Coordinates of all heavy atoms in Angstrom, one line a residue:
D1 N -105.5 67.2 -95.0 CA -106.1 67.8 -93.9 C -107.0 68.9 -94.4 O -108.1 69.2 -93.8 CB -105.1 68.4 -92.9 CG -104.4 67.3 -92.2 OD1 -105.0 66.3 -91.8 OD2 -103.2 67.5 -91.9
R2 N -106.7 69.6 -95.5 CA -107.5 70.6 -96.0 C -108.9 70.1 -96.5 O -109.9 70.7 -96.2 CB -106.8 71.3 -97.2 CG -107.6 72.5 -97.7 CD -106.9 73.2 -98.7 NE -107.7 74.4 -99.1 CZ -107.4 75.3 -99.9 NH1 -106.2 75.3 -100.5 NH2 -108.2 76.3 -100.2
T3 N -108.9 68.9 -97.1 CA -110.1 68.3 -97.5 C -111.1 68.1 -96.4 O -112.3 68.3 -96.5 CB -109.8 67.0 -98.2 OG1 -109.0 67.2 -99.4 CG2 -111.1 66.3 -98.6
V4 N -110.6 67.7 -95.3 CA -111.4 67.4 -94.1 C -111.8 68.7 -93.3 O -112.9 68.9 -92.9 CB -110.8 66.4 -93.2 CG1 -111.6 66.2 -91.9 CG2 -110.5 65.1 -93.9
G5 N -110.8 69.6 -93.2 CA -111.0 70.7 -92.3 C -111.6 72.0 -92.9 O -112.1 72.8 -92.2
E6 N -111.6 72.1 -94.2 CA -112.2 73.3 -94.8 C -113.7 73.4 -94.7 O -114.3 72.3 -94.7 CB -111.8 73.4 -96.3 CG -110.3 73.6 -96.5 CD -109.9 75.0 -96.1 OE1 -110.5 76.0 -96.5 OE2 -108.8 75.2 -95.5
G7 N -114.2 74.6 -94.7 CA -115.7 74.7 -94.8 C -116.1 74.1 -96.2 O -115.4 74.2 -97.2
M8 N -117.2 73.5 -96.2 CA -117.7 72.8 -97.4 C -118.6 73.7 -98.3 O -119.4 74.4 -97.8 CB -118.4 71.5 -97.1 CG -117.4 70.5 -96.6 SD -118.2 68.9 -96.6 CE -119.6 69.1 -95.5
A9 N -118.4 73.5 -99.5 CA -119.3 74.0 -100.5 C -119.7 72.8 -101.4 O -119.0 71.8 -101.5 CB -118.7 75.1 -101.4
A10 N -120.9 72.9 -102.0 CA -121.3 71.8 -102.8 C -120.6 71.8 -104.2 O -120.3 72.9 -104.7 CB -122.8 71.9 -103.1
G11 N -120.2 70.7 -104.6 CA -119.5 70.6 -105.9 C -118.8 69.3 -106.2 O -118.6 68.5 -105.3
S12 N -118.6 69.1 -107.4 CA -118.0 67.8 -107.9 C -116.5 67.8 -107.5 O -115.9 66.7 -107.5 CB -118.1 67.7 -109.4 OG -117.5 68.8 -110.0
H13 N -115.9 68.9 -107.1 CA -114.5 68.9 -106.7 C -114.3 68.0 -105.5 O -113.2 67.6 -105.2 CB -114.1 70.3 -106.3 CG -114.8 70.9 -105.2 ND1 -116.1 71.5 -105.5 CD2 -114.6 71.1 -103.9 CE1 -116.5 72.0 -104.3 NE2 -115.7 71.7 -103.4
H14 N -115.3 67.6 -104.8 CA -115.2 66.7 -103.6 C -114.7 65.3 -104.0 O -114.1 64.6 -103.2 CB -116.5 66.6 -102.8 CG -116.8 67.9 -102.1 ND1 -116.0 68.4 -101.1 CD2 -117.8 68.8 -102.2 CE1 -116.5 69.5 -100.6 NE2 -117.6 69.8 -101.3
L15 N -114.9 64.9 -105.3 CA -114.4 63.7 -105.7 C -112.9 63.6 -105.5 O -112.3 62.6 -105.1 CB -114.7 63.4 -107.2 CG -114.0 62.2 -107.9 CD1 -114.5 60.9 -107.2 CD2 -114.3 62.2 -109.3
Y16 N -112.2 64.7 -105.9 CA -110.7 64.7 -105.8 C -110.3 64.7 -104.4 O -109.2 64.1 -104.1 CB -110.2 65.8 -106.7 CG -110.8 65.8 -108.1 CD1 -111.7 66.7 -108.5 CD2 -110.4 64.7 -108.9 CE1 -112.3 66.5 -109.8 CE2 -110.9 64.6 -110.2 CZ -111.9 65.5 -110.6 OH -112.5 65.4 -111.8
G17 N -111.0 65.3 -103.5 CA -110.7 65.3 -102.1 C -110.8 63.9 -101.5 O -110.0 63.4 -100.8
L18 N -111.9 63.2 -101.9 CA -112.2 61.9 -101.5 C -111.1 60.9 -102.0 O -110.6 60.1 -101.2 CB -113.6 61.4 -101.9 CG -114.7 62.0 -101.2 CD1 -116.0 61.8 -102.0 CD2 -114.8 61.5 -99.8
L19 N -110.7 61.1 -103.2 CA -109.6 60.2 -103.8 C -108.3 60.5 -103.1 O -107.6 59.5 -102.8 CB -109.5 60.5 -105.3 CG -110.7 60.0 -106.1 CD1 -110.5 60.5 -107.6 CD2 -110.9 58.6 -106.0
A20 N -108.0 61.7 -102.7 CA -106.8 62.1 -102.0 C -106.9 61.4 -100.6 O -105.8 60.9 -100.1 CB -106.7 63.6 -101.8
L21 N -108.0 61.4 -99.9 CA -108.1 60.7 -98.6 C -107.9 59.2 -98.8 O -107.2 58.6 -98.0 CB -109.5 61.0 -98.0 CG -109.7 62.5 -97.5 CD1 -111.1 62.7 -97.1 CD2 -108.8 62.8 -96.3
R22 N -108.4 58.6 -99.9 CA -108.2 57.2 -100.1 C -106.8 56.9 -100.3 O -106.2 56.0 -99.7 CB -109.0 56.8 -101.3 CG -108.8 55.3 -101.6 CD -109.5 54.9 -102.9 NE -110.9 54.9 -102.7 CZ -111.8 54.9 -103.7 NH1 -111.4 54.9 -104.9 NH2 -113.1 54.8 -103.4
E23 N -106.1 57.7 -101.1 CA -104.7 57.5 -101.3 C -103.8 57.7 -100.1 O -102.8 57.1 -99.9 CB -104.2 58.5 -102.4 CG -104.6 58.1 -103.8 CD -104.0 56.8 -104.3 OE1 -102.8 56.5 -104.1 OE2 -104.8 55.9 -104.8
S24 N -104.3 58.5 -99.2 CA -103.6 58.8 -97.9 C -104.0 57.8 -96.8 O -103.6 57.9 -95.7 CB -103.9 60.2 -97.4 OG -103.5 61.1 -98.3
E25 N -104.8 56.8 -97.2 CA -105.3 55.7 -96.3 C -106.1 56.3 -95.1 O -106.0 55.9 -94.0 CB -104.1 54.9 -95.8 CG -103.5 54.1 -97.0 CD -102.4 53.2 -96.6 OE1 -102.0 53.2 -95.4 OE2 -101.8 52.6 -97.5
R26 N -106.8 57.4 -95.4 CA -107.7 58.0 -94.4 C -109.1 57.7 -94.7 O -110.0 58.6 -94.9 CB -107.4 59.5 -94.4 CG -106.0 59.8 -94.0 CD -105.6 61.3 -94.0 NE -106.5 62.0 -93.1 CZ -106.4 63.3 -93.0 NH1 -105.5 64.0 -93.7 NH2 -107.2 64.0 -92.1
D27 N -109.4 56.4 -94.7 CA -110.8 56.0 -95.1 C -111.9 56.5 -94.1 O -113.0 56.8 -94.5 CB -110.8 54.4 -95.1 CG -109.9 53.9 -96.3 OD1 -109.8 54.6 -97.3 OD2 -109.4 52.8 -96.1
E28 N -111.5 56.5 -92.8 CA -112.5 57.0 -91.8 C -112.9 58.5 -92.1 O -114.0 58.9 -92.0 CB -112.0 56.9 -90.4 CG -112.0 55.5 -89.9 CD -111.5 55.3 -88.5 OE1 -111.7 56.3 -87.7 OE2 -111.0 54.3 -88.1
D29 N -111.9 59.3 -92.4 CA -112.1 60.7 -92.8 C -113.0 60.8 -94.0 O -113.9 61.6 -94.1 CB -110.8 61.5 -93.0 CG -110.1 61.7 -91.7 OD1 -110.7 61.8 -90.6 OD2 -108.8 61.8 -91.7
A30 N -112.7 59.9 -95.0 CA -113.5 59.9 -96.2 C -114.9 59.6 -95.9 O -115.8 60.2 -96.5 CB -112.9 59.0 -97.3
A31 N -115.1 58.6 -95.1 CA -116.5 58.2 -94.7 C -117.3 59.3 -94.1 O -118.4 59.5 -94.4 CB -116.5 56.9 -93.8
V32 N -116.6 60.0 -93.2 CA -117.2 61.2 -92.5 C -117.6 62.2 -93.5 O -118.7 62.8 -93.5 CB -116.3 61.7 -91.4 CG1 -116.8 63.1 -90.9 CG2 -116.2 60.7 -90.3
L33 N -116.7 62.5 -94.5 CA -116.9 63.5 -95.5 C -118.1 63.1 -96.4 O -119.0 63.9 -96.7 CB -115.7 63.7 -96.3 CG -115.8 64.8 -97.5 CD1 -116.2 66.1 -96.9 CD2 -114.4 64.9 -98.2
V34 N -118.1 61.8 -96.8 CA -119.3 61.3 -97.6 C -120.6 61.5 -96.9 O -121.6 62.0 -97.4 CB -119.1 59.8 -98.0 CG1 -120.4 59.3 -98.5 CG2 -118.0 59.7 -99.0
D35 N -120.6 61.2 -95.6 CA -121.8 61.3 -94.8 C -122.2 62.8 -94.7 O -123.4 63.2 -94.9 CB -121.7 60.8 -93.4 CG -121.6 59.2 -93.4 OD1 -122.1 58.6 -94.4 OD2 -121.2 58.7 -92.4
S36 N -121.3 63.7 -94.5 CA -121.5 65.1 -94.4 C -122.0 65.7 -95.7 O -123.0 66.4 -95.8 CB -120.3 65.8 -93.9 OG -120.5 67.2 -93.8
L37 N -121.4 65.3 -96.8 CA -121.8 65.7 -98.1 C -123.3 65.3 -98.4 O -124.1 66.0 -98.9 CB -120.9 65.2 -99.2 CG -119.5 65.8 -99.2 CD1 -118.6 65.0 -100.2 CD2 -119.6 67.3 -99.7
R38 N -123.6 64.0 -98.1 CA -124.9 63.5 -98.3 C -125.9 64.3 -97.5 O -127.0 64.6 -98.1 CB -125.0 62.0 -98.0 CG -124.4 61.1 -99.1 CD -124.6 59.7 -98.7 NE -124.2 58.8 -99.9 CZ -123.6 57.7 -99.7 NH1 -123.2 57.3 -98.5 NH2 -123.2 57.0 -100.8
S39 N -125.6 64.6 -96.3 CA -126.6 65.3 -95.5 C -126.8 66.7 -95.8 O -127.9 67.3 -95.8 CB -126.3 65.1 -94.0 OG -125.1 65.9 -93.7
R40 N -125.7 67.4 -96.3 CA -125.8 68.8 -96.6 C -126.1 69.1 -98.0 O -126.8 70.1 -98.3 CB -124.4 69.5 -96.2 CG -124.2 69.5 -94.7 CD -122.9 70.2 -94.4 NE -123.0 71.6 -94.7 CZ -122.0 72.5 -94.7 NH1 -120.8 72.1 -94.4 NH2 -122.2 73.7 -95.0
F41 N -125.6 68.3 -98.9 CA -125.8 68.6 -100.4 C -126.3 67.4 -101.2 O -126.1 67.3 -102.4 CB -124.4 69.0 -101.0 CG -123.8 70.1 -100.2 CD1 -122.6 69.9 -99.5 CD2 -124.3 71.4 -100.1 CE1 -121.9 70.9 -98.8 CE2 -123.7 72.4 -99.4 CZ -122.5 72.1 -98.8
G42 N -127.0 66.5 -100.6 CA -127.4 65.2 -101.2 C -128.3 65.5 -102.4 O -128.5 64.6 -103.3
G43 N -128.9 66.6 -102.5 CA -129.8 66.9 -103.7 C -129.1 67.4 -104.9 O -129.6 67.5 -106.0
R44 N -127.8 67.8 -104.7 CA -127.0 68.3 -105.8 C -126.4 67.2 -106.7 O -125.7 66.3 -106.2 CB -125.8 69.2 -105.3 CG -126.2 70.4 -104.5 CD -126.6 71.5 -105.3 NE -125.7 71.9 -106.4 CZ -124.8 72.9 -106.3 NH1 -124.8 73.7 -105.3 NH2 -124.0 73.1 -107.3
A45 N -126.7 67.2 -108.0 CA -126.3 66.2 -108.9 C -124.8 66.1 -108.9 O -124.2 64.9 -109.0 CB -126.8 66.4 -110.3
E46 N -124.1 67.2 -108.8 CA -122.6 67.1 -108.9 C -122.0 66.4 -107.7 O -121.1 65.6 -107.8 CB -122.0 68.6 -108.9 CG -122.4 69.4 -110.1 CD -123.6 70.2 -109.9 OE1 -124.4 69.9 -108.9 OE2 -123.8 71.2 -110.6
V47 N -122.6 66.6 -106.5 CA -122.2 65.9 -105.3 C -122.5 64.4 -105.4 O -121.7 63.6 -105.0 CB -122.7 66.6 -104.1 CG1 -122.4 65.8 -102.8 CG2 -122.2 68.0 -103.9
R48 N -123.7 64.1 -105.8 CA -124.1 62.7 -106.0 C -123.2 62.0 -107.0 O -122.8 60.8 -106.7 CB -125.6 62.6 -106.4 CG -126.5 63.1 -105.4 CD -128.0 62.8 -105.6 NE -128.4 62.5 -106.9 CZ -129.0 63.3 -107.8 NH1 -129.2 64.6 -107.4 NH2 -129.4 63.0 -109.0
W49 N -122.8 62.7 -108.0 CA -121.9 62.1 -109.0 C -120.5 61.8 -108.4 O -120.0 60.7 -108.5 CB -121.7 63.0 -110.2 CG -120.7 62.7 -111.2 CD1 -120.8 61.7 -112.2 CD2 -119.3 63.2 -111.2 NE1 -119.6 61.7 -112.9 CE2 -118.7 62.5 -112.3 CE3 -118.6 64.1 -110.5 CZ2 -117.4 62.8 -112.7 CZ3 -117.3 64.4 -110.8 CH2 -116.7 63.7 -111.9
A50 N -120.0 62.7 -107.6 CA -118.7 62.5 -107.0 C -118.8 61.4 -106.0 O -117.9 60.5 -106.0 CB -118.3 63.8 -106.2
I51 N -119.8 61.3 -105.2 CA -120.0 60.2 -104.2 C -120.1 58.9 -104.9 O -119.5 57.9 -104.6 CB -121.1 60.5 -103.3 CG1 -120.8 61.7 -102.3 CG2 -121.4 59.3 -102.4 CD1 -121.9 62.2 -101.5
A52 N -120.9 58.9 -106.0 CA -121.1 57.6 -106.8 C -119.8 57.1 -107.3 O -119.5 55.9 -107.2 CB -122.1 57.8 -107.9
L53 N -119.0 58.0 -107.9 CA -117.7 57.5 -108.4 C -116.8 57.0 -107.3 O -116.2 56.0 -107.4 CB -117.0 58.7 -109.1 CG -117.4 58.9 -110.6 CD1 -116.7 60.1 -111.1 CD2 -117.1 57.7 -111.4
Y54 N -116.8 57.7 -106.2 CA -115.9 57.3 -105.1 C -116.3 56.0 -104.5 O -115.5 55.2 -104.2 CB -115.9 58.4 -104.0 CG -115.1 58.0 -102.8 CD1 -113.7 58.0 -102.8 CD2 -115.7 57.5 -101.6 CE1 -113.0 57.6 -101.8 CE2 -115.0 57.1 -100.6 CZ -113.6 57.2 -100.6 OH -112.9 56.8 -99.5
T55 N -117.6 55.8 -104.4 CA -118.1 54.5 -103.8 C -118.2 53.4 -104.8 O -118.6 52.3 -104.4 CB -119.5 54.8 -103.1 OG1 -120.4 55.2 -104.1 CG2 -119.4 55.8 -102.0
G56 N -118.0 53.6 -106.0 CA -118.0 52.6 -107.0 C -119.4 52.3 -107.6 O -119.6 51.2 -108.2
D57 N -120.3 53.2 -107.4 CA -121.7 53.1 -108.0 C -121.6 53.6 -109.4 O -122.0 54.7 -109.7 CB -122.7 53.9 -107.1 CG -124.1 53.7 -107.6 OD1 -124.3 53.1 -108.7 OD2 -125.0 54.3 -106.9
S58 N -121.1 52.7 -110.3 CA -120.8 53.2 -111.7 C -122.1 53.5 -112.4 O -122.1 54.3 -113.3 CB -120.0 52.1 -112.4 OG -120.6 50.9 -112.4
E59 N -123.2 52.8 -112.1 CA -124.4 53.0 -112.8 C -124.9 54.4 -112.6 O -125.3 55.2 -113.5 CB -125.5 52.0 -112.4 CG -126.8 52.1 -113.2 CD -127.8 51.0 -112.8 OE1 -127.3 49.9 -112.6 OE2 -129.0 51.3 -112.8
T60 N -125.0 54.8 -111.3 CA -125.4 56.2 -110.9 C -124.5 57.2 -111.5 O -124.9 58.2 -112.0 CB -125.6 56.3 -109.4 OG1 -126.6 55.4 -109.0 CG2 -126.0 57.7 -109.0
A61 N -123.2 57.0 -111.3 CA -122.2 57.9 -111.8 C -122.3 58.1 -113.3 O -122.2 59.3 -113.8 CB -120.8 57.4 -111.5
A62 N -122.5 57.0 -114.1 CA -122.7 57.2 -115.5 C -123.9 58.0 -115.9 O -123.9 58.8 -116.8 CB -122.7 55.8 -116.2
Q63 N -125.0 57.7 -115.2 CA -126.3 58.4 -115.5 C -126.1 59.9 -115.2 O -126.5 60.7 -116.0 CB -127.4 57.8 -114.6 CG -128.7 58.6 -114.8 CD -129.8 58.1 -113.8 OE1 -129.5 57.3 -112.9 NE2 -131.0 58.5 -114.1
L64 N -125.6 60.2 -114.0 CA -125.4 61.6 -113.7 C -124.4 62.3 -114.6 O -124.5 63.5 -115.0 CB -125.0 61.8 -112.2 CG -126.1 61.4 -111.2 CD1 -125.5 61.3 -109.8 CD2 -127.2 62.4 -111.2
G65 N -123.3 61.6 -114.9 CA -122.3 62.1 -115.8 C -122.8 62.5 -117.1 O -122.5 63.5 -117.7
T66 N -123.7 61.6 -117.7 CA -124.3 61.9 -119.0 C -125.2 63.1 -118.9 O -125.2 63.9 -119.8 CB -125.1 60.6 -119.4 OG1 -124.2 59.5 -119.6 CG2 -125.8 60.9 -120.7
E67 N -126.0 63.2 -117.8 CA -126.9 64.3 -117.6 C -126.1 65.7 -117.5 O -126.6 66.7 -118.0 CB -127.7 64.2 -116.4 CG -128.8 63.1 -116.5 CD -129.5 62.8 -115.2 OE1 -129.4 63.7 -114.3 OE2 -130.1 61.8 -115.0
L68 N -125.0 65.6 -116.8 CA -124.2 66.8 -116.5 C -123.1 67.2 -117.5 O -122.5 68.2 -117.4 CB -123.7 66.7 -115.1 CG -124.7 66.6 -114.0 CD1 -124.1 66.2 -112.7 CD2 -125.5 68.0 -113.9
R69 N -122.8 66.3 -118.4 CA -121.7 66.5 -119.3 C -121.8 67.8 -120.1 O -120.8 68.4 -120.5 CB -121.5 65.3 -120.3 CG -120.3 65.4 -121.2 CD -120.1 64.2 -122.1 NE -119.8 63.1 -121.3 CZ -120.4 61.9 -121.4 NH1 -121.4 61.7 -122.3 NH2 -120.1 60.9 -120.7
H70 N -123.0 68.2 -120.4 CA -123.2 69.4 -121.3 C -123.1 70.7 -120.5 O -123.1 71.7 -121.1 CB -124.5 69.3 -122.0 CG -124.6 68.0 -122.8 ND1 -123.8 67.8 -124.0 CD2 -125.3 66.9 -122.7 CE1 -124.0 66.6 -124.5 NE2 -124.9 66.0 -123.7
N71 N -123.0 70.6 -119.2 CA -122.8 71.8 -118.4 C -121.4 72.3 -118.6 O -120.4 71.6 -118.4 CB -123.0 71.4 -116.9 CG -122.8 72.6 -116.0 OD1 -121.7 73.2 -116.0 ND2 -123.7 72.7 -115.0
S72 N -121.2 73.5 -119.0 CA -119.9 74.1 -119.4 C -118.9 74.0 -118.2 O -117.7 73.8 -118.5 CB -120.0 75.5 -119.9 OG -120.5 76.3 -118.9
R73 N -119.3 74.1 -117.0 CA -118.4 74.1 -115.9 C -118.1 72.6 -115.4 O -117.1 72.3 -114.8 CB -118.9 74.9 -114.7 CG -118.9 76.4 -115.0 CD -119.4 77.2 -113.8 NE -118.7 76.7 -112.5 CZ -119.2 77.0 -111.3 NH1 -120.4 77.6 -111.2 NH2 -118.6 76.6 -110.3
F74 N -119.1 71.8 -115.7 CA -119.0 70.4 -115.1 C -118.4 69.4 -116.1 O -117.8 68.4 -115.7 CB -120.4 70.0 -114.7 CG -120.4 68.7 -114.0 CD1 -119.9 68.6 -112.7 CD2 -120.8 67.5 -114.6 CE1 -119.9 67.4 -112.0 CE2 -120.8 66.3 -113.9 CZ -120.4 66.2 -112.6
G75 N -118.7 69.6 -117.4 CA -118.3 68.6 -118.4 C -116.8 68.3 -118.3 O -116.4 67.1 -118.5
I76 N -115.9 69.2 -118.1 CA -114.5 69.0 -118.1 C -114.1 68.1 -116.9 O -113.2 67.3 -116.9 CB -113.7 70.3 -118.0 CG1 -112.2 70.0 -118.3 CG2 -113.9 71.1 -116.8 CD1 -111.9 69.6 -119.6
Q77 N -114.9 68.2 -115.8 CA -114.6 67.4 -114.6 C -115.0 65.9 -114.9 O -114.4 65.0 -114.4 CB -115.4 67.9 -113.4 CG -114.8 69.3 -113.0 CD -115.4 69.8 -111.8 OE1 -115.6 69.1 -110.8 NE2 -115.8 71.1 -111.8
V78 N -116.1 65.7 -115.6 CA -116.5 64.3 -116.0 C -115.4 63.7 -116.9 O -115.0 62.6 -116.6 CB -117.8 64.4 -116.8 CG1 -118.1 63.0 -117.4 CG2 -119.0 64.8 -115.9
E79 N -114.9 64.5 -117.8 CA -113.8 64.0 -118.7 C -112.5 63.7 -117.9 O -111.9 62.7 -118.1 CB -113.6 64.9 -119.8 CG -114.8 65.0 -120.8 CD -115.3 63.7 -121.3 OE1 -114.4 62.8 -121.7 OE2 -116.5 63.5 -121.3
A80 N -112.2 64.6 -117.0 CA -111.0 64.4 -116.1 C -111.1 63.1 -115.3 O -110.2 62.3 -115.2 CB -110.8 65.6 -115.2
A81 N -112.3 62.9 -114.7 CA -112.5 61.7 -113.9 C -112.4 60.4 -114.8 O -111.8 59.4 -114.3 CB -113.9 61.7 -113.3
R82 N -112.8 60.5 -116.0 CA -112.7 59.3 -116.9 C -111.2 59.0 -117.1 O -110.8 57.8 -117.3 CB -113.3 59.6 -118.2 CG -114.8 59.5 -118.2 CD -115.4 59.8 -119.5 NE -116.8 60.1 -119.3 CZ -117.7 59.8 -120.2 NH1 -117.4 59.2 -121.3 NH2 -119.0 60.1 -119.9
V83 N -110.4 60.0 -117.1 CA -108.9 59.8 -117.4 C -108.2 59.2 -116.1 O -107.4 58.3 -116.2 CB -108.3 61.1 -117.9 CG1 -106.8 61.0 -117.9 CG2 -108.8 61.5 -119.2
I84 N -108.6 59.8 -115.0 CA -107.8 59.4 -113.8 C -108.3 58.2 -113.0 O -107.6 57.6 -112.2 CB -107.7 60.6 -112.8 CG1 -109.0 61.0 -112.2 CG2 -107.0 61.8 -113.4 CD1 -108.9 62.0 -111.1
L85 N -109.6 57.8 -113.3 CA -110.1 56.7 -112.5 C -110.1 55.4 -113.4 O -110.3 55.5 -114.6 CB -111.6 57.0 -112.1 CG -111.7 58.1 -111.1 CD1 -113.2 58.4 -110.9 CD2 -111.1 57.7 -109.8
P86 N -109.9 54.3 -112.8 CA -109.8 53.1 -113.5 C -111.1 52.7 -114.1 O -112.1 53.0 -113.7 CB -109.4 52.0 -112.5 CG -109.5 52.6 -111.2 CD -109.6 54.1 -111.3

């Protein structure tokens, strides 16, 4: 509920919220969140990366992940996603 109800900020942390919604079988809530993220923060590479991973767009996710891996705050999230996602 926190993932859906909290005020949003742009960031790659939304990937983990989307995955939690998927695991909770709340696909409609995840779809609403994806749409909201795209409309509010669609220009942010971190958000595009999170959405690409969640939606299975591996080509876009890989491209953005490579571009952002060297960011000191973001690189660890790319590596964490590689470990937890199939």
Side-chain angles (χ1 to χ4, degrees):
D1 288 326
R2 183 174 184 175
T3 296
V4 176
E6 291 289 315
M8 285 195 299
S12 57
H13 60 280
H14 289 295
L15 170 63
Y16 306 107
L18 288 166
L19 293 174
L21 289 170
R22 179 185 288 163
E23 286 295 313
S24 301
E25 298 180 359
R26 294 179 62 181
D27 296 328
E28 286 183 29
D29 289 331
V32 168
L33 181 56
V34 165
D35 289 343
S36 182
L37 290 169
R38 280 186 174 138
S39 69
R40 293 183 67 189
F41 308 113
R44 299 280 309 258
E46 298 92 340
V47 173
R48 292 191 341 261
W49 173 81
I51 292 171
L53 278 176
Y54 177 76
T55 60
D57 183 353
S58 57
E59 185 176 321
T60 299
Q63 177 187 10
L64 290 167
T66 298
E67 291 174 16
L68 296 168
R69 183 177 295 132
H70 302 292
N71 178 311
S72 61
R73 290 182 50 201
F74 186 76
I76 191 70
Q77 293 183 46
V78 172
E79 296 306 316
R82 286 179 196 216
V83 171
I84 65 169
L85 294 173

